[in-house]
Amino acid sequence: MQTTLAKKICIYLAAALLALVIALPVLWLFIMSISSSTHLTTLPLEWWPDSPTLENYRSLLIYAENTPSQSFLYAIRNSIFIALAATGLSICAAIPAAYSFSRMPGPRRKNLLYAVIAIFMLPPVALVLPLYTVMSALGLLNTHFALIIVYCSILLPFATWLLKSNFDTIPGDLDEAPIIDGANRLQAIWYVILPIARPALGAAVMMSVLLAWDEFFYGLLFTNDIRSKTITVAIADLAAGRVADYGLISAAGILAAVPPVILAFFMQKTLVSGLASGSVKG
Amino acid sequence: MISHRKTVTAWLLLTPMIVMILGVSGYPLIKTVYYSMTGAKLVAPELTDNWVWFHNYIRALSSANFREAIWHTTYFAVISVGVEMIIGVMVALLLNEVFVGRTLLRAMLILPLALPTVVNAMMWRLIYNPDFGALNALLVQFGMLDAYRSWLGDPATALDMVIVADVWKNFPLVALIALAALQTVPKDLYEAATLDGAGMWNRFWRITLPAIMGPLSVALVLRTIEAFKVFDIIYVMTRGGPASSTKTVSFYVYQEAFAYMRVGSGASYALIVVLISACLIAGYMYLIRKHGEA
Amino acid sequence: MSSISLSNVTKTFGAANIIKGVDLSIEDGELVVFVGPSGCGKSTLLRLISGLEEITSGQIHLGKKRVDHLSAASRDIAMVFQSYALYPHMTVAENIGFPLKMAGKSKAEIEAKTNEIGTILQLLPLFERTPKQLSGGQRQRVAIGRALARDPQIILLDEPLSNLDAALRVDMRMELARLHRDLKATMIYVTHDQVEAMTMADRIVVLRDGIVEQVGSPLDLYLTPVNQFVAGFIGSPRMNFWDATTNENGDLLLPSGTALSLPRKLTAHQPVTVGVRPEHLVLAADDGTAALQGTVLSVEHLGSDTFVQLHCGFGDPAQVDINVRFAGIVPVRIGERVNLSVASLDNWHIFDAEGIRVEAAQ
Ligand SMILES: Nc1ncnc2c1ncn2[C@@H]1O[C@H](COP(=O)(O)OP(=O)(O)OP(=O)(O)O)[C@@H](O)[C@H]1O
Ligand SMILES: [Mg+2]
């Protein structure tokens, strides 16, 4: 009796501590985002603004030339476009590849699969120099196209691996049946495998979008103005800017975090089971 | 003759992926190797290349600065991943207990994971701000610190503070993987052990840890590989400073190639990083093959 | 048109030789059953015919057309999988209509055909359900319906009834037999069930280890198995075997010393194996004339039959455990000593040292 009560108390204390550790930094970011910059630079620091304001959000979201809102809104647009296009391209190539790896195994293809995973894990510094010189030679620096292509080096192996692990769980008969029924391989994939694997496909799409949204290194190097700067680069710029408007920076951070956080909560189950199966099964 | 229709189809289905991977990864990797043996410059790299064999490598390995960057990277990787593993497992054990609010807490773990790395870095940079940061304010107001400190401006603390930010973002990953593994451990195993008189400590070492060791080791290697690439968080929080105290290898390569425009030697640095990563990746491959076949 | 012929078909997976040269011809409209021990290559052979696997060497003809280089889709063969392989995301109607959709048929044609099949198989009330909402027998019917959609000339079935319970199995067996009669399609049927094989097959193909051991009508196999393997495999309970020899006259010399005069003489002085089916042994009087003596090990009364296990032989030496099946109720008790004789001279099966049948049919 005594020990279980003590244990209960310990558990709730630990849970509360954990909740605080996770929530406080983000909460503070949010508080900063609704504070005026004068309030944030008053000493001693106060923990709640006397007059919460949405001014920071307004100045980011209402478009005006040559203001932070211009670069911010363009960056959001660029990131959305690049993330979706790179995801689409990668998924299109990943689906047949994953099918082939999963349903038509062979020793050479197995080695190729491991090679693909190894490439996924290579540090980007190993690839960035030639990619940069080629893009620069082709005049593609500072275009969406360059980042879309380059992001495929990250998204494609990842999506292939994720889909392959999922296709593995579909019984073998289910893709032989359509072949018998007169379908070719592409039809078998389209009409049978993909509908069955739709949750995994959704997870692959969402996680690819998250990866692309989060990317910074290539974005930093391959873009230099509002035409193609991504949101991560824009935030880094803001954070390093001469005018340190902490409220504005925080608001930008919050806004940049909203899409991935919503996406992640939305697909919490798939995310967790994807993580788990990825690490349990390899 | 006998055709191998199936094999042909199998390769045809792989073709789009192979072409893309060769284009965006295979070719660049080989070209990096080529660059690493030349004195190529970022401006017009093809014009200025002159073959220097292994000169770049020799210079890289004898450069004290680069060795220091390797040391910073190793320190960052070992400490951050180590702490993430310990906290992650503890959090997983906590969440494996039954209590009110467990589901909410587990959902909260997603928050740091989903936060973009750059936003995370920026957030902590603001928190660490020497003049108006929340950390200083908090510590001073609670009387734990006498005067404001420049957490990221002091070479003695900068890297550790970056590690804190990294741990905050990534321990949930370990926790979620460990939690998923924990939930596959049959309950009666614990009950049997309790009946056998095993205490809590014993149960953890004898049952829990072995049961989650597989997924945990995969997570460990994965996180280490990631930690070795670290760039974003460094760039946003410290730009390698102060006094190069947070300069990691990725940042070093970035500077060499894009600030000093020395593509040739930058490539050689990059390949040394690749070599270190390759050992880790080989470890990862070994683990997934082992678990894949089990 | 829809006869099937295999000549010298082989299949290797990597280094493993799974099908080792199969010659087989199946007539148009025949129902042929493949039997054999687990792992002998029945499914593989079926998949080779369907085109799901490619042969390593040899030829396959459907009718006069050589097909071994054709893809599965262009062979126009239907197949029913053991797991049914129903598409979980499609309704029953969509499942049955899928092959027609792949064949590029119009919506109206597909609907007409699926309705026709639904009527035959009594599936119409289930058309809007998904496979998850069906019972095992219903799923089985949908799988068959899907196979019938394209009016196939050839239907392959790999253990189609093995996931059903016993009663349903009997029903479906009859239904399949009826379908076969009505459709006049060529069917190849893989099963582990002796009764299914014996009752449904026009001919049975016995496979062992990638080789065809015997092809023949069920009664052929039962009456004149060409070797000891087939003799042991066909029939349930399995045939009983004893070692014996032949005497100088070429007659069978049983271990008890009794000689059995055969209508056709064998080579003198050779070791042989004699086999008698459990149902061909009868109780005999204890007057010294009985061929076999044994001790009862166990008794199972089924009413219609009595299954008895005995430790039994020709005289005391070389006793082995055998099975006997008596018609009706026979009052024997465990531990009891009984005398047995063989019902008729035809019931003796004799195999040489290599296991090949030595006694030609009379
Ligand atoms: N794709 C494959 N790769 C390697 N070996 C295989 C493959 N498919 C089948 N085999 C092997 O071929 C042999 C025959 O398999 P098959 O499935 O044809 O047996 P079966 O007679 O259908 O057995 P069962 O009665 O158990 O269904 C087995 O030893 C099996 O392991
Ligand atoms: Mg089989």
Side-chain angles (χ1 to χ4, degrees):
Chain A
M1 217 50 232
Q2 200 66 8
T3 56
T4 51
L5 184 68
K7 192 179 160 190
K8 266 225 157 87
I9 291 172
C10 281
I11 284 176
Y12 279 98
L13 281 179
L17 180 67
L18 178 61
L20 282 181
V21 165
I22 293 176
L24 279 186
V26 184
L27 196 62
W28 178 238
L29 188 69
F30 176 71
I31 292 174
M32 284 193 287
S33 78
I34 54 168
S35 306
S36 67
S37 70
T38 44
H39 179 260
L40 286 174
T41 48
T42 325
L43 288 176
L45 198 61
E46 282 168 34
W47 299 102
W48 187 256
D50 358 283
S51 52
T53 165
L54 291 177
E55 191 47 45
N56 293 319
Y57 289 98
R58 204 168 297 137
S59 58
L60 283 173
L61 292 175
I62 293 173
Y63 183 84
E65 300 264 329
N66 296 321
T67 63
S69 75
Q70 188 185 25
S71 51
F72 183 79
L73 289 172
Y74 266 98
I76 293 268
R77 182 203 70 170
N78 293 337
S79 265
I80 290 177
F81 181 73
I82 292 169
L84 290 182
T87 298
L89 199 59
S90 302
I91 295 283
C92 283
I95 287 169
Y99 178 88
S100 179
F101 281 134
S102 168
R103 314 315 265 195
M104 308 164 103
R108 251 178 301 174
R109 285 186 287 282
K110 192 168 177 183
N111 286 332
L112 177 67
L113 176 64
Y114 287 121
V116 168
I117 305 169
I119 283 174
F120 172 57
M121 300 186 157
L122 277 182
V125 287
L127 312 174
V128 68
L129 297 172
L131 287 173
Y132 184 87
T133 55
V134 168
M135 292 299 173
S136 140
L138 296 177
L140 288 172
L141 286 182
N142 206 26
T143 63
H144 291 161
F145 183 77
L147 282 187
I148 292 168
I149 294 293
V150 169
Y151 283 5
C152 287
S153 70
I154 304 170
L155 306 191
L156 180 53
F158 169 78
T160 304
W161 177 240
L162 197 80
L163 288 176
K164 188 255 172 201
S165 321
N166 187 271
F167 288 176
D168 283 348
T169 63
I170 301 175
D173 286 354
L174 271 178
D175 67 330
E176 298 194 324
I179 301 294
I180 288 286
D181 288 342
N184 61 37
R185 291 281 169 186
L186 288 178
Q187 286 172 316
I189 295 175
W190 182 254
Y191 286 110
V192 178
I193 298 297
L194 284 187
I196 294 174
R198 203 158 61 189
L201 193 64
V205 167
M206 288 201 257
M207 293 185 67
S208 297
V209 170
L210 284 185
L211 272 180
W213 188 269
D214 202 24
E215 210 288 329
F216 175 67
F217 185 65
Y218 290 121
L220 175 70
L221 294 174
F222 287 16
T223 64
N224 52 34
D225 65 32
I226 57 168
R227 276 175 296 157
S228 61
K229 257 186 196 173
T230 60
I231 185 68
T232 47
V233 181
I235 295 218
D237 281 356
L238 265 183
R242 256 170 289 278
V243 257
D245 186 341
Y246 303 132
L248 191 73
I249 299 172
S250 306
I254 294 275
L255 286 174
V258 163
V261 167
I262 287 179
L263 211 57
F265 275 105
F266 187 56
M267 53 172 244
Q268 207 188 119
K269 272 225 171 67
T270 20
L271 186 94
V272 173
S273 67
L275 288 176
S277 72
S279 57
V280 174
K281 246 174 74 292
Chain B
M1 264 327 290
I2 306 295
S3 68
H4 291 278
R5 256 182 298 107
K6 211 169 161 180
T7 316
V8 173
T9 319
W11 286 106
L12 276 179
L13 290 171
L14 286 172
T15 310
M17 186 210 67
I18 294 176
V19 169
M20 284 169 70
I21 293 273
L22 282 182
V24 293
S25 302
Y27 163 78
L29 187 60
I30 292 165
K31 197 66 190 268
T32 304
V33 175
Y34 167 79
Y35 278 156
S36 75
M37 299 191 192
T38 70
K41 294 282 188 303
L42 192 63
V43 275
E46 308 301 336
L47 283 179
T48 50
D49 43 347
N50 46 335
W51 195 254
V52 298
W53 287 107
F54 294 100
H55 180 72
N56 287 331
Y57 290 94
I58 295 165
R59 246 198 27 204
L61 290 174
S62 54
S63 147
N65 288 340
F66 185 61
R67 281 206 304 264
E68 206 186 334
I70 292 185
W71 162 243
H72 291 150
T73 313
T74 312
Y75 179 84
F76 175 87
V78 170
I79 303 291
S80 66
V81 175
V83 176
E84 281 160 24
M85 296 307 280
I86 294 169
I87 297 184
V89 170
M90 286 182 355
V91 168
L93 287 173
L94 172 67
L95 288 172
N96 203 34
E97 299 290 333
V98 185
F99 60 91
V100 184
R102 179 167 75 142
T103 323
L104 177 73
L105 203 52
R106 193 168 48 194
M108 279 178 73
L109 284 178
I110 307 280
L111 188 61
L113 265 186
L115 210 64
T117 314
V118 169
V119 174
N120 178 52
M122 179 213 80
M123 177 178 85
W124 285 96
R125 192 180 135 137
L126 293 180
I127 291 172
Y128 292 151
N129 186 295
D131 305 319
F132 312 108
L135 182 63
N136 275 327
L138 193 71
L139 292 179
V140 170
Q141 287 179 21
F142 275 90
M144 291 195 276
L145 203 65
D146 300 331
Y148 276 28
R149 285 182 61 176
S150 177
W151 298 101
L152 293 174
D154 180 352
T157 54
L159 192 52
D160 292 327
M161 298 321 275
V162 174
I163 287 176
V164 169
D166 188 71
V167 168
W168 182 84
K169 175 162 168 52
N170 287 313
F171 84 87
L173 180 82
V174 180
L176 288 173
I177 289 176
L179 184 61
L182 274 180
Q183 282 165 351
T184 64
V185 183
K187 280 268 180 296
D188 41 352
L189 222 56
Y190 288 102
E191 281 155 18
T194 313
L195 287 181
D196 292 345
M200 223 167 71
W201 193 242
N202 248 323
R203 286 201 300 262
F204 176 76
W205 285 107
R206 297 275 162 88
I207 300 171
T208 313
L209 204 59
I212 63 174
M213 211 52 213
L216 218 52
S217 54
V218 173
L220 173 79
V221 181
L222 259 179
R223 278 300 309 140
T224 313
I225 291 170
E226 284 294 311
F228 246 88
K229 299 186 199 173
V230 63
F231 178 84
D232 315 9
I233 198 170
I234 302 279
Y235 182 92
V236 175
M237 288 183 80
T238 64
R239 300 254 168 135
S244 296
S245 64
T246 60
K247 203 182 270 183
T248 59
V249 281
S250 284
F251 200 84
Y252 201 88
V253 175
Y254 160 77
Q255 252 186 353
E256 184 74 12
F258 292 96
Y260 309 137
M261 311 248 166
R262 291 193 288 260
V263 167
S265 61
S268 69
Y269 291 133
L271 285 170
I272 294 171
V273 181
V274 168
L275 224 60
I276 299 172
S277 302
C279 301
L280 294 167
I281 294 172
Y284 177 70
M285 292 293 156
Y286 169 77
L287 285 175
I288 59 172
R289 274 181 190 228
K290 202 172 95 181
H291 293 294
E293 256 118 66
Chain C
M1 153 73 216
S2 54
S3 61
I4 304 170
S5 92
L6 278 64
S7 50
N8 202 17
V9 168
T10 66
K11 176 68 184 174
T12 54
F13 287 112
N17 248 325
I18 302 299
I19 302 294
K20 304 168 182 166
V22 166
D23 290 295
L24 188 63
S25 62
I26 296 169
E27 303 292 320
D28 191 3
E30 220 179 354
L31 195 162
V32 168
V33 170
F34 287 179
V35 295
S38 191
C40 69
K42 303 180 294 291
S43 298
T44 306
L45 198 53
L46 216 59
R47 293 163 57 80
L48 290 173
I49 296 171
S50 72
L52 286 175
E53 297 281 358
E54 285 168 62
I55 60 173
T56 306
S57 69
Q59 297 189 356
I60 300 178
H61 286 84
L62 301 185
K64 292 207 169 54
K65 191 161 129 207
R66 185 168 171 190
V67 296
D68 45 70
H69 57 285
L70 294 181
S71 69
S74 45
R75 289 187 199 187
D76 210 14
I77 292 179
M79 186 158 171
V80 177
F81 293 83
Q82 181 178 357
S83 65
Y84 314 143
L86 298 180
Y87 308 129
H89 57 293
M90 297 185 197
T91 63
V92 168
E94 286 166 344
N95 262 285
I96 295 175
F98 185 75
L100 300 166
K101 186 166 157 188
M102 289 300 103
K105 291 282 187 323
S106 73
K107 276 226 162 63
E109 281 174 292
I110 295 177
E111 197 177 324
K113 186 70 194 176
T114 44
N115 280 333
E116 181 194 325
I117 290 170
T119 315
I120 299 175
L121 294 171
Q122 295 149 27
L123 286 170
L124 281 178
L126 309 174
F127 257 24
E128 293 315 313
R129 296 202 196 166
T130 57
K132 252 206 288 293
Q133 304 162 315
L134 300 177
S135 72
Q138 291 166 335
R139 280 178 209 174
Q140 174 62 66
R141 268 216 265 288
V142 177
I144 292 169
R146 192 175 65 191
L148 298 181
R150 284 188 308 174
D151 289 323
Q153 297 301 298
I154 297 170
I155 305 174
L156 311 178
L157 305 101
D158 194 352
E159 306 193 34
L161 307 184
S162 59
N163 287 339
L164 302 180
D165 63 42
L168 212 51
R169 231 146 129 163
V170 175
D171 290 349
M172 284 306 294
R173 198 169 81 206
M174 307 230 268
E175 190 153 340
L176 277 174
R178 177 175 65 81
L179 272 174
H180 176 237
R181 271 197 315 275
D182 295 349
L183 297 170
K184 300 187 176 61
T186 311
M187 285 191 181
I188 303 181
Y189 190 105
V190 174
T191 182
H192 271 121
D193 187 319
Q194 293 263 341
V195 184
E196 270 173 36
M198 297 302 278
T199 54
M200 298 180 68
D202 293 318
R203 283 191 300 157
I204 294 178
V205 176
V206 184
L207 287 161
R208 173 169 60 154
D209 224 358
I211 288 176
V212 173
E213 293 284 341
Q214 188 172 4
V215 184
S217 72
L219 285 186
D220 276 349
L221 300 195
Y222 181 79
L223 293 172
T224 51
V226 296
N227 57 35
Q228 197 179 334
F229 173 78
V230 177
F233 196 80
I234 300 289
S236 169
R238 68 193 294 269
M239 188 185 276
N240 304 304
F241 296 105
W242 297 269
D243 291 334
T245 52
T246 54
N247 66 12
E248 59 281 1
N249 302 330
D251 281 328
L252 188 60
L253 184 63
L254 298 176
S256 55
T258 324
L260 202 66
S261 171
L262 297 172
R264 215 178 110 182
K265 303 302 174 197
L266 311 174
T267 321
H269 298 299
Q270 65 162 332
V272 294
T273 304
V274 292
V276 178
R277 293 197 184 278
E279 54 272 34
H280 294 149
L281 290 163
V282 290
L283 280 178
D286 187 13
D287 57 4
T289 60
L292 299 123
Q293 293 82 39
T295 319
V296 175
L297 298 175
S298 73
V299 185
E300 289 170 12
H301 290 288
L302 267 66
S304 61
D305 300 278
T306 307
F307 290 92
V308 182
Q309 236 191 1
L310 298 137
H311 195 58
C312 178
F314 303 93
D316 281 332
Q319 298 228 324
V320 294
D321 289 352
I322 66 159
N323 293 301
V324 180
R325 173 181 181 170
F326 299 119
I329 301 168
V330 177
V332 291
R333 275 182 306 279
I334 293 174
E336 187 180 341
R337 278 192 67 83
V338 294
N339 299 291
L340 298 170
S341 59
V342 178
S344 136
L345 211 52
D346 301 340
N347 297 142
W348 292 98
H349 300 267
I350 302 169
F351 306 97
D352 66 15
E354 273 78 57
I356 311 292
R357 183 181 192 86
V358 289
E359 188 201 32
Q362 278 182 284

